[in-house]
Amino acid sequence: MKKALFAGVCALALSISAQSFAENMVRTMPTTTVSEALLLQDYTPVALVGTITQNLGNEKYQFQDNTGTVVIEVDDEDWNGITPSADDILIITGEIDKNGNIVEIDEDNVALQK
């Protein structure tokens, strides 16, 4: 029983920590628009604010802000309990992943904007 309670408390702490981490990343890292992100070099860290418009499968999603769209890759275990709707504004931190002329965002963290 104590192990189950401890595991539950740890899971809650980690989810709160992940949310706080993403919010702190956006505070310390300037946000980047999608149109700006598309011009950046491979492996450049970014923080994007926008919405998921489509699930593309294989952990890939269409992400949009008011400047454009880009594909983001979000590992299933990185959603931190978030099931985004079209109305949810998300904060995505990650890095640019370029393969030739194709640009995607390799997500490090996802959080709901408050």
Side-chain angles (χ1 to χ4, degrees):
M1 177 70 176
K2 288 182 181 180
K3 287 183 181 179
L5 179 60
F6 179 72
V9 169
C10 287
L12 177 62
L14 286 175
S15 69
I16 292 170
S17 295
Q19 179 78 16
S20 296
F21 175 78
E23 290 171 1
N24 286 333
M25 283 294 292
V26 170
R27 283 190 204 111
T28 59
M29 176 190 294
T31 58
T32 304
T33 66
V34 169
S35 63
E36 292 169 335
L38 294 173
L39 301 174
L40 295 173
Q41 297 298 313
D42 205 14
Y43 304 111
T44 303
V46 293
L48 303 171
V49 178
T51 59
I52 299 289
T53 58
Q54 185 177 4
N55 181 340
L56 303 173
N58 287 338
E59 300 182 333
K60 294 191 180 200
Y61 302 86
Q62 190 76 35
F63 180 86
Q64 178 178 337
D65 68 8
N66 61 355
T67 68
T69 61
V70 68
V71 173
I72 61 168
E73 183 175 348
V74 181
D75 295 333
D76 290 336
E77 63 271 10
D78 288 349
W79 282 106
N80 302 315
I82 299 169
T83 305
S85 72
D87 296 327
D88 290 329
I89 305 296
L90 301 174
I91 303 165
I92 306 289
T93 57
E95 64 182 30
I96 301 296
D97 182 13
K98 280 193 171 185
N99 187 4
N101 290 333
I102 298 171
V103 177
E104 294 183 356
I105 306 299
D106 187 13
E107 164 275 339
D108 290 327
N109 199 290
V110 176
L112 286 171
Q113 185 178 39
K114 292 182 178 181

